[in-house]
Amino acid sequence: MKEGINKIAESKSRTFLSFCFSFILGVGFWSWSAEARWAIYLYSILFLIILLIIWNWKNKFRRFVLLCLVFFCIGALHFLWSMPDCASPQNVCFYNGNRKEIIGWISMEPTREISQTKYILKTDLGKILLVL
């Protein structure tokens, strides 16, 4: 197995592909448990991994594996940063599952399809997609 990873680490294109795949795995893995409280743990783990990379820089195998872990953590953090804060009444997602009167204006021409019409409603809370 170590030989296979060394072969990947020798090729720039395979290394880049491995880092991209690690990033996507990080996003996908954390999409199942999207809680912002994990961010502090990810920062701590990322810090420790970077220290280990600095310490093991000359060992190509360890450096490659640790850099894949760095990209995994960066993907996870990217996902956590992109999630809206639904705990605040200032965001529309706070009202999911509840009835709420929202006042706004239609900001674009409606998109008409066979079975539905889509409107983009601009409000103080942001843009809302209405499907009727």
mmCIF file of all heavy atoms in Angstrom, residues 70-104:
data_model
loop_
_atom_site.group_PDB
_atom_site.id
_atom_site.type_symbol
_atom_site.label_atom_id
_atom_site.label_comp_id
_atom_site.label_asym_id
_atom_site.label_seq_id
_atom_site.Cartn_x
_atom_site.Cartn_y
_atom_site.Cartn_z
ATOM 1 N N VAL A 70 -5.140 17.531 5.718
ATOM 2 C CA VAL A 70 -5.334 18.986 5.747
ATOM 3 C C VAL A 70 -6.455 19.378 4.799
ATOM 4 O O VAL A 70 -7.353 20.158 5.153
ATOM 5 C CB VAL A 70 -4.025 19.728 5.381
ATOM 6 C CG1 VAL A 70 -4.287 21.182 5.038
ATOM 7 C CG2 VAL A 70 -3.028 19.630 6.511
ATOM 8 N N PHE A 71 -6.439 18.832 3.578
ATOM 9 C CA PHE A 71 -7.490 19.170 2.617
ATOM 10 C C PHE A 71 -8.842 18.622 3.053
ATOM 11 O O PHE A 71 -9.871 19.238 2.788
ATOM 12 C CB PHE A 71 -7.112 18.687 1.216
ATOM 13 C CG PHE A 71 -6.158 19.621 0.535
ATOM 14 C CD1 PHE A 71 -4.802 19.406 0.579
ATOM 15 C CD2 PHE A 71 -6.629 20.744 -0.127
ATOM 16 C CE1 PHE A 71 -3.922 20.269 -0.035
ATOM 17 C CE2 PHE A 71 -5.755 21.624 -0.739
ATOM 18 C CZ PHE A 71 -4.403 21.387 -0.691
ATOM 19 N N PHE A 72 -8.870 17.493 3.746
ATOM 20 C CA PHE A 72 -10.112 16.974 4.305
ATOM 21 C C PHE A 72 -10.676 17.972 5.323
ATOM 22 O O PHE A 72 -11.860 18.299 5.294
ATOM 23 C CB PHE A 72 -9.856 15.615 4.963
ATOM 24 C CG PHE A 72 -11.071 15.003 5.578
ATOM 25 C CD1 PHE A 72 -11.934 14.239 4.818
ATOM 26 C CD2 PHE A 72 -11.362 15.195 6.917
ATOM 27 C CE1 PHE A 72 -13.065 13.667 5.379
ATOM 28 C CE2 PHE A 72 -12.485 14.630 7.497
ATOM 29 C CZ PHE A 72 -13.344 13.869 6.714
ATOM 30 N N CYS A 73 -9.824 18.467 6.210
ATOM 31 C CA CYS A 73 -10.261 19.441 7.227
ATOM 32 C C CYS A 73 -10.696 20.760 6.585
ATOM 33 O O CYS A 73 -11.672 21.371 7.013
ATOM 34 C CB CYS A 73 -9.153 19.694 8.237
ATOM 35 S SG CYS A 73 -8.827 18.305 9.324
ATOM 36 N N ILE A 74 -9.987 21.194 5.555
ATOM 37 C CA ILE A 74 -10.363 22.431 4.871
ATOM 38 C C ILE A 74 -11.726 22.269 4.204
ATOM 39 O O ILE A 74 -12.555 23.187 4.234
ATOM 40 C CB ILE A 74 -9.275 22.850 3.858
ATOM 41 C CG1 ILE A 74 -8.018 23.298 4.601
ATOM 42 C CG2 ILE A 74 -9.781 23.950 2.935
ATOM 43 C CD1 ILE A 74 -6.830 23.549 3.702
ATOM 44 N N GLY A 75 -11.993 21.101 3.609
ATOM 45 C CA GLY A 75 -13.307 20.839 3.021
ATOM 46 C C GLY A 75 -14.401 20.870 4.069
ATOM 47 O O GLY A 75 -15.484 21.420 3.851
ATOM 48 N N ALA A 76 -14.134 20.277 5.233
ATOM 49 C CA ALA A 76 -15.108 20.281 6.321
ATOM 50 C C ALA A 76 -15.372 21.705 6.803
ATOM 51 O O ALA A 76 -16.525 22.101 7.021
ATOM 52 C CB ALA A 76 -14.610 19.413 7.469
ATOM 53 N N LEU A 77 -14.329 22.491 6.968
ATOM 54 C CA LEU A 77 -14.497 23.880 7.409
ATOM 55 C C LEU A 77 -15.236 24.710 6.362
ATOM 56 O O LEU A 77 -16.063 25.557 6.697
ATOM 57 C CB LEU A 77 -13.144 24.501 7.737
ATOM 58 C CG LEU A 77 -12.491 23.976 9.011
ATOM 59 C CD1 LEU A 77 -11.053 24.467 9.115
ATOM 60 C CD2 LEU A 77 -13.287 24.404 10.229
ATOM 61 N N HIS A 78 -14.939 24.458 5.105
ATOM 62 C CA HIS A 78 -15.647 25.171 4.036
ATOM 63 C C HIS A 78 -17.144 24.882 4.106
ATOM 64 O O HIS A 78 -17.968 25.787 3.960
ATOM 65 C CB HIS A 78 -15.095 24.765 2.670
ATOM 66 C CG HIS A 78 -15.844 25.356 1.526
ATOM 67 N ND1 HIS A 78 -15.764 26.690 1.201
ATOM 68 C CD2 HIS A 78 -16.709 24.810 0.647
ATOM 69 C CE1 HIS A 78 -16.543 26.933 0.164
ATOM 70 N NE2 HIS A 78 -17.130 25.796 -0.193
ATOM 71 N N PHE A 79 -17.494 23.632 4.336
ATOM 72 C CA PHE A 79 -18.911 23.285 4.455
ATOM 73 C C PHE A 79 -19.544 23.977 5.664
ATOM 74 O O PHE A 79 -20.639 24.519 5.577
ATOM 75 C CB PHE A 79 -19.092 21.769 4.562
ATOM 76 C CG PHE A 79 -20.521 21.370 4.739
ATOM 77 C CD1 PHE A 79 -21.369 21.330 3.652
ATOM 78 C CD2 PHE A 79 -21.022 21.080 5.989
ATOM 79 C CE1 PHE A 79 -22.695 20.988 3.800
ATOM 80 C CE2 PHE A 79 -22.349 20.729 6.154
ATOM 81 C CZ PHE A 79 -23.185 20.685 5.055
ATOM 82 N N LEU A 80 -18.850 23.953 6.794
ATOM 83 C CA LEU A 80 -19.403 24.576 8.001
ATOM 84 C C LEU A 80 -19.562 26.082 7.832
ATOM 85 O O LEU A 80 -20.513 26.673 8.340
ATOM 86 C CB LEU A 80 -18.534 24.247 9.210
ATOM 87 C CG LEU A 80 -18.566 22.793 9.665
ATOM 88 C CD1 LEU A 80 -17.554 22.554 10.771
ATOM 89 C CD2 LEU A 80 -19.960 22.395 10.125
ATOM 90 N N TRP A 81 -18.633 26.730 7.141
ATOM 91 C CA TRP A 81 -18.742 28.170 6.906
ATOM 92 C C TRP A 81 -19.892 28.507 5.975
ATOM 93 O O TRP A 81 -20.475 29.582 6.065
ATOM 94 C CB TRP A 81 -17.468 28.727 6.299
ATOM 95 C CG TRP A 81 -16.319 28.826 7.231
ATOM 96 C CD1 TRP A 81 -16.360 29.003 8.584
ATOM 97 C CD2 TRP A 81 -14.952 28.740 6.891
ATOM 98 N NE1 TRP A 81 -15.091 29.033 9.088
ATOM 99 C CE2 TRP A 81 -14.203 28.875 8.072
ATOM 100 C CE3 TRP A 81 -14.272 28.558 5.704
ATOM 101 C CZ2 TRP A 81 -12.824 28.842 8.098
ATOM 102 C CZ3 TRP A 81 -12.896 28.525 5.721
ATOM 103 C CH2 TRP A 81 -12.182 28.665 6.909
ATOM 104 N N SER A 82 -20.220 27.606 5.042
ATOM 105 C CA SER A 82 -21.245 27.906 4.046
ATOM 106 C C SER A 82 -22.663 27.703 4.578
ATOM 107 O O SER A 82 -23.619 28.121 3.942
ATOM 108 C CB SER A 82 -21.043 27.042 2.806
ATOM 109 O OG SER A 82 -21.286 25.678 3.104
ATOM 110 N N MET A 83 -22.808 27.062 5.723
ATOM 111 C CA MET A 83 -24.135 26.822 6.289
ATOM 112 C C MET A 83 -24.680 28.103 6.922
ATOM 113 O O MET A 83 -23.964 28.788 7.643
ATOM 114 C CB MET A 83 -24.076 25.721 7.355
ATOM 115 C CG MET A 83 -23.708 24.366 6.813
ATOM 116 S SD MET A 83 -24.857 23.777 5.576
ATOM 117 C CE MET A 83 -26.340 23.649 6.523
ATOM 118 N N PRO A 84 -25.956 28.434 6.653
ATOM 119 C CA PRO A 84 -26.523 29.635 7.277
ATOM 120 C C PRO A 84 -26.780 29.401 8.761
ATOM 121 O O PRO A 84 -26.943 28.274 9.211
ATOM 122 C CB PRO A 84 -27.842 29.830 6.527
ATOM 123 C CG PRO A 84 -28.193 28.471 6.038
ATOM 124 C CD PRO A 84 -26.890 27.770 5.777
ATOM 125 N N ASP A 85 -26.836 30.484 9.496
ATOM 126 C CA ASP A 85 -27.121 30.420 10.929
ATOM 127 C C ASP A 85 -28.631 30.449 11.117
ATOM 128 O O ASP A 85 -29.246 31.507 11.135
ATOM 129 C CB ASP A 85 -26.460 31.601 11.642
ATOM 130 C CG ASP A 85 -26.742 31.598 13.124
ATOM 131 O OD1 ASP A 85 -27.033 30.521 13.680
ATOM 132 O OD2 ASP A 85 -26.669 32.678 13.737
ATOM 133 N N CYS A 86 -29.234 29.268 11.235
ATOM 134 C CA CYS A 86 -30.697 29.175 11.338
ATOM 135 C C CYS A 86 -31.203 29.425 12.753
ATOM 136 O O CYS A 86 -32.396 29.345 13.001
ATOM 137 C CB CYS A 86 -31.162 27.811 10.839
ATOM 138 S SG CYS A 86 -30.953 27.636 9.063
ATOM 139 N N ALA A 87 -30.327 29.727 13.682
ATOM 140 C CA ALA A 87 -30.757 30.012 15.053
ATOM 141 C C ALA A 87 -31.188 31.475 15.210
ATOM 142 O O ALA A 87 -31.757 31.843 16.216
ATOM 143 C CB ALA A 87 -29.639 29.688 16.026
ATOM 144 N N SER A 88 -30.911 32.283 14.199
ATOM 145 C CA SER A 88 -31.215 33.708 14.271
ATOM 146 C C SER A 88 -32.501 34.028 13.504
ATOM 147 O O SER A 88 -32.664 33.599 12.362
ATOM 148 C CB SER A 88 -30.047 34.497 13.667
ATOM 149 O OG SER A 88 -30.411 35.840 13.496
ATOM 150 N N PRO A 89 -33.398 34.803 14.086
ATOM 151 C CA PRO A 89 -34.625 35.194 13.368
ATOM 152 C C PRO A 89 -34.356 36.106 12.177
ATOM 153 O O PRO A 89 -35.253 36.389 11.402
ATOM 154 C CB PRO A 89 -35.449 35.925 14.414
ATOM 155 C CG PRO A 89 -34.812 35.686 15.716
ATOM 156 C CD PRO A 89 -33.411 35.236 15.464
ATOM 157 N N GLN A 90 -33.135 36.557 12.001
ATOM 158 C CA GLN A 90 -32.776 37.403 10.870
ATOM 159 C C GLN A 90 -32.638 36.595 9.581
ATOM 160 O O GLN A 90 -32.535 37.180 8.513
ATOM 161 C CB GLN A 90 -31.469 38.141 11.150
ATOM 162 C CG GLN A 90 -31.549 39.088 12.329
ATOM 163 C CD GLN A 90 -32.594 40.155 12.128
ATOM 164 O OE1 GLN A 90 -33.716 40.005 12.572
ATOM 165 N NE2 GLN A 90 -32.231 41.216 11.451
ATOM 166 N N ASN A 91 -32.581 35.258 9.682
ATOM 167 C CA ASN A 91 -32.458 34.407 8.507
ATOM 168 C C ASN A 91 -33.775 33.715 8.208
ATOM 169 O O ASN A 91 -34.518 33.337 9.112
ATOM 170 C CB ASN A 91 -31.360 33.352 8.725
ATOM 171 C CG ASN A 91 -29.999 33.972 8.732
ATOM 172 O OD1 ASN A 91 -29.747 34.936 8.035
ATOM 173 N ND2 ASN A 91 -29.111 33.421 9.521
ATOM 174 N N VAL A 92 -34.045 33.529 6.927
ATOM 175 C CA VAL A 92 -35.289 32.905 6.490
ATOM 176 C C VAL A 92 -35.372 31.463 6.986
ATOM 177 O O VAL A 92 -36.456 30.994 7.350
ATOM 178 C CB VAL A 92 -35.391 32.955 4.950
ATOM 179 C CG1 VAL A 92 -36.604 32.213 4.457
ATOM 180 C CG2 VAL A 92 -35.422 34.388 4.468
ATOM 181 N N CYS A 93 -34.274 30.752 7.041
ATOM 182 C CA CYS A 93 -34.323 29.337 7.437
ATOM 183 C C CYS A 93 -34.784 29.158 8.884
ATOM 184 O O CYS A 93 -35.188 28.061 9.268
ATOM 185 C CB CYS A 93 -32.978 28.666 7.200
ATOM 186 S SG CYS A 93 -31.630 29.311 8.181
ATOM 187 N N PHE A 94 -34.764 30.198 9.678
ATOM 188 C CA PHE A 94 -35.264 30.137 11.052
ATOM 189 C C PHE A 94 -36.747 29.782 11.067
ATOM 190 O O PHE A 94 -37.239 29.144 11.995
ATOM 191 C CB PHE A 94 -35.024 31.488 11.739
ATOM 192 C CG PHE A 94 -35.544 31.574 13.146
ATOM 193 C CD1 PHE A 94 -34.833 31.008 14.185
ATOM 194 C CD2 PHE A 94 -36.738 32.221 13.433
ATOM 195 C CE1 PHE A 94 -35.291 31.089 15.493
ATOM 196 C CE2 PHE A 94 -37.208 32.305 14.728
ATOM 197 C CZ PHE A 94 -36.475 31.733 15.761
ATOM 198 N N TYR A 95 -37.466 30.164 10.020
ATOM 199 C CA TYR A 95 -38.917 29.981 9.965
ATOM 200 C C TYR A 95 -39.333 28.708 9.227
ATOM 201 O O TYR A 95 -40.513 28.511 8.971
ATOM 202 C CB TYR A 95 -39.567 31.197 9.296
ATOM 203 C CG TYR A 95 -39.241 32.471 10.020
ATOM 204 C CD1 TYR A 95 -38.315 33.372 9.509
ATOM 205 C CD2 TYR A 95 -39.836 32.767 11.232
ATOM 206 C CE1 TYR A 95 -38.009 34.538 10.181
ATOM 207 C CE2 TYR A 95 -39.536 33.934 11.917
ATOM 208 C CZ TYR A 95 -38.611 34.809 11.385
ATOM 209 O OH TYR A 95 -38.310 35.959 12.056
ATOM 210 N N ASN A 96 -38.398 27.839 8.872
ATOM 211 C CA ASN A 96 -38.750 26.599 8.177
ATOM 212 C C ASN A 96 -39.740 25.787 8.997
ATOM 213 O O ASN A 96 -39.563 25.586 10.183
ATOM 214 C CB ASN A 96 -37.508 25.754 7.900
ATOM 215 C CG ASN A 96 -36.680 26.303 6.767
ATOM 216 O OD1 ASN A 96 -37.109 27.187 6.048
ATOM 217 N ND2 ASN A 96 -35.482 25.768 6.608
ATOM 218 N N GLY A 97 -40.791 25.321 8.341
ATOM 219 C CA GLY A 97 -41.791 24.493 9.005
ATOM 220 C C GLY A 97 -42.850 25.285 9.750
ATOM 221 O O GLY A 97 -43.755 24.707 10.323
ATOM 222 N N ASN A 98 -42.755 26.608 9.759
ATOM 223 C CA ASN A 98 -43.726 27.464 10.461
ATOM 224 C C ASN A 98 -44.428 28.365 9.454
ATOM 225 O O ASN A 98 -43.905 28.645 8.379
ATOM 226 C CB ASN A 98 -43.032 28.340 11.504
ATOM 227 C CG ASN A 98 -42.334 27.528 12.562
ATOM 228 O OD1 ASN A 98 -42.848 26.514 13.007
ATOM 229 N ND2 ASN A 98 -41.150 27.964 12.957
ATOM 230 N N ARG A 99 -45.576 28.840 9.826
ATOM 231 C CA ARG A 99 -46.287 29.815 9.006
ATOM 232 C C ARG A 99 -45.826 31.211 9.433
ATOM 233 O O ARG A 99 -45.810 31.533 10.606
ATOM 234 C CB ARG A 99 -47.783 29.665 9.174
ATOM 235 C CG ARG A 99 -48.301 28.336 8.638
ATOM 236 C CD ARG A 99 -49.800 28.259 8.759
ATOM 237 N NE ARG A 99 -50.485 29.133 7.819
ATOM 238 C CZ ARG A 99 -50.885 28.766 6.599
ATOM 239 N NH1 ARG A 99 -50.656 27.538 6.199
ATOM 240 N NH2 ARG A 99 -51.505 29.613 5.824
ATOM 241 N N LYS A 100 -45.453 32.021 8.460
ATOM 242 C CA LYS A 100 -44.953 33.362 8.743
ATOM 243 C C LYS A 100 -45.354 34.278 7.593
ATOM 244 O O LYS A 100 -45.220 33.903 6.436
ATOM 245 C CB LYS A 100 -43.428 33.315 8.891
ATOM 246 C CG LYS A 100 -42.754 34.639 9.091
ATOM 247 C CD LYS A 100 -42.966 35.144 10.477
ATOM 248 C CE LYS A 100 -42.178 36.420 10.667
ATOM 249 N NZ LYS A 100 -42.547 37.128 11.827
ATOM 250 N N GLU A 101 -45.855 35.446 7.909
ATOM 251 C CA GLU A 101 -46.179 36.428 6.882
ATOM 252 C C GLU A 101 -44.929 37.242 6.596
ATOM 253 O O GLU A 101 -44.346 37.857 7.495
ATOM 254 C CB GLU A 101 -47.301 37.350 7.361
ATOM 255 C CG GLU A 101 -47.717 38.358 6.325
ATOM 256 C CD GLU A 101 -48.853 39.225 6.807
ATOM 257 O OE1 GLU A 101 -49.755 38.705 7.486
ATOM 258 O OE2 GLU A 101 -48.818 40.426 6.508
ATOM 259 N N ILE A 102 -44.529 37.238 5.339
ATOM 260 C CA ILE A 102 -43.331 37.963 4.917
ATOM 261 C C ILE A 102 -43.729 38.936 3.820
ATOM 262 O O ILE A 102 -44.412 38.564 2.868
ATOM 263 C CB ILE A 102 -42.245 36.991 4.406
ATOM 264 C CG1 ILE A 102 -41.830 36.041 5.535
ATOM 265 C CG2 ILE A 102 -41.042 37.743 3.882
ATOM 266 C CD1 ILE A 102 -40.860 34.971 5.111
ATOM 267 N N ILE A 103 -43.309 40.170 3.953
ATOM 268 C CA ILE A 103 -43.629 41.202 2.972
ATOM 269 C C ILE A 103 -42.382 41.472 2.143
ATOM 270 O O ILE A 103 -41.282 41.643 2.671
ATOM 271 C CB ILE A 103 -44.112 42.484 3.670
ATOM 272 C CG1 ILE A 103 -45.370 42.184 4.473
ATOM 273 C CG2 ILE A 103 -44.340 43.594 2.652
ATOM 274 C CD1 ILE A 103 -45.820 43.322 5.351
ATOM 275 N N GLY A 104 -42.580 41.514 0.831
ATOM 276 C CA GLY A 104 -41.468 41.772 -0.072
ATOM 277 C C GLY A 104 -41.973 42.124 -1.455
ATOM 278 O O GLY A 104 -43.161 42.392 -1.649
#
